[in-house]
Amino acid sequence: MKQGFRLTARQRAFLDKLLELYREHHGPVHYSDVAERLGVNRFSAYDMLKVLEKKGLASSSYALAAGHSGPGRTMVVFEPTARAAGMLVRNGEGFSLGADWQNVRERVLKKLRAARDANYREVLNDLLARLPEAKAPLTFCAEMIGVLLLNMQRARARAGELNPFRALAALRSGDDAGLEALAGLSVGATLSAEDDVGPSLTHRLLENARRYQASLSRLSTEARAALAQFLEEALEALD
């Protein structure tokens, strides 16, 4: 069981510096770089980053030391997790994904809110029609989240006892676990509902679900955190 998110001022300073260096390096960071930036002993930096790892806010891995190609020339590096970036998203801090992201986010949320008083199938088809226009991975994933949630809502309305949202709600833990599970839950809801969607909608969902999973894998830690927060907002929009 991972420890909670409550951080001391010192732990928050290390997390902020790790996030800062991760953005600068566009990849994992050696603990000595964190130590140098904060003016502390490198062993103290290593110990503190391991504390953050236990809290689920950092992850460590081994990387080949620069300038070496032989065996045994590895070093421990750290990177922030999606939960760490998600803390900043929820607090309104950190990075900005630009006006395009905010426009897409607001448009999809507006569609989801409107769907509560409309025909789910009509709004679903409208969002599906827009998917080919979504070139950027983050934009596509946001559009696809709307599609997948509306499809679950449509299937739920026809299936009576079937409630795929109950399974998804169990994954609303503040990280991005729900993003990975969403496509499977939505497509599974379609197959289980035994309704009249026909092969066309099922085929389109499956094809776009594959692109969704591929797009997720291309997102940065911070973009995934923003998308996980968007999923929370999208679920609230459908409530």
Side-chain angles (χ1 to χ4, degrees), residues 155 158-159 162 185-195:
R158 293 189 61 88
L162 176 69
L185 286 170
S186 185
V187 174
T190 296
L191 298 176
S192 300
E194 298 181 351
D195 58 12

Side-chain angles (χ1 to χ4, degrees), residues 40-237:
V40 299
N41 182 286
R42 63 192 183 98
F43 297 112
S44 297
Y46 176 83
D47 289 342
M48 185 58 71
L49 290 171
K50 293 300 286 185
V51 170
L52 293 174
E53 185 173 29
K54 290 179 180 178
K55 289 179 174 287
L57 300 173
S59 64
S60 63
S61 59
Y62 289 94
L64 201 62
H68 295 288
S69 59
R73 301 293 185 176
T74 58
M75 59 183 183
V76 179
V77 292
F78 291 85
E79 62 183 293
T81 63
R83 281 187 179 182
M87 287 175 63
L88 299 185
V89 172
R90 286 189 293 276
N91 292 333
E93 305 172 28
F95 63 98
S96 171
L97 293 171
D100 287 346
W101 163 244
Q102 294 303 327
N103 290 338
V104 170
R105 173 181 162 276
E106 288 300 326
R107 178 168 51 76
V108 176
L109 290 176
K110 184 177 180 180
K111 286 282 188 183
L112 294 179
R113 295 186 190 105
R116 292 179 299 189
D117 302 314
N119 184 300
Y120 289 123
R121 180 68 180 272
E122 291 179 4
V123 182
L124 172 60
N125 283 332
D126 182 49
L127 282 176
L128 271 170
R130 296 186 63 95
L131 287 178
E133 303 173 14
K135 305 299 184 185
L138 182 59
T139 299
F140 176 80
C141 286
E143 298 271 12
M144 191 60 182
I145 282 174
V147 166
L148 294 169
L149 289 180
L150 282 173
N151 181 60
M152 290 168 69
Q153 193 74 293
R154 180 200 57 76
R156 175 187 180 184
R158 293 189 61 88
E161 294 300 317
L162 176 69
N163 189 352
F165 285 94
R166 192 171 299 156
L168 186 60
L171 298 174
R172 295 172 70 172
S173 57
D175 58 19
D176 61 352
L179 296 175
E180 300 286 354
L182 179 57
L185 286 170
S186 185
V187 174
T190 296
L191 298 176
S192 300
E194 298 181 351
D195 58 12
D196 59 355
V197 298
S200 176
L201 177 58
T202 302
H203 177 74
R204 292 165 75 190
L205 285 170
L206 286 170
E207 285 296 312
N208 285 297
R210 282 190 279 269
R211 182 182 168 192
Y212 171 77
Q213 297 290 5
S215 296
L216 277 180
S217 69
R218 295 166 57 192
L219 295 180
S220 68
T221 300
E222 292 172 327
R224 286 176 68 98
L227 200 63
Q229 179 66 14
F230 171 74
L231 174 57
E232 294 279 343
E233 294 172 327
L235 286 166
E236 291 174 5

Side-chain angles (χ1 to χ4, degrees), residues 10 13-15 17-18 21 32-40 45:
R10 181 174 171 80
F14 273 86
L15 180 59
K17 200 57 61 179
L18 176 63
L21 286 165
S32 64
D33 293 333
V34 178
E36 181 179 355
R37 191 66 63 90
L38 287 171
V40 299

